[in-house]
């Protein structure tokens, strides 16, 4: 693995945890996993990642309890 990052936001009612892992790869390949209630944001998340990372295999994971 060539990169790993994790962030968590907690509120009084909820939390969201985002993890990103990357490995070397010739092209950009993004694999994302989001909860069903956040699936509408998947394309936006992929766009943000692709603006910051140019190449590699990227594993994006978002964890948040269902509302």
């Amino acid at each position: 693995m060539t990169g790993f990052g994790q962030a968590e936001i907690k509120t009084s009612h909820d939390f969201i945890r985002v993890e990103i892992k990357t490995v070397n790869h010739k092209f950009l390949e993004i694999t994302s996993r989001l909860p069903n209630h956040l699936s509408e944001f998947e394309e936006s998340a992929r766009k943000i990642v692709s603006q910051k990372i140019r190449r590699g295999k990227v594993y994006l994971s978002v964890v948040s309890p269902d509302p």
Side-chain angles (χ1 to χ4, degrees), residues 38-49:
L38 297 177
S39 62
E40 65 185 281
F41 300 107
E42 184 170 3
E43 191 58 36
S44 297
R46 289 170 152 273
K47 185 175 180 181
I48 291 168
V49 169

Side-chain angles (χ1 to χ4, degrees), residues 2 22-30 54-59:
T2 58
T22 63
V23 295
N24 285 335
H25 190 63
K26 191 172 183 177
F27 304 103
L28 180 60
E29 183 180 324
I30 302 171
R54 298 288 177 225
R55 52 175 274 193
K57 286 189 179 184
V58 179
Y59 303 95

Side-chain angles (χ1 to χ4, degrees), residues 13-16 34-41 63-67:
H13 302 278
D14 227 345
F15 75 92
I16 295 177
L34 280 72
N36 288 337
H37 68 281
L38 297 177
S39 62
E40 65 185 281
F41 300 107
V63 177
S64 174
D66 288 330

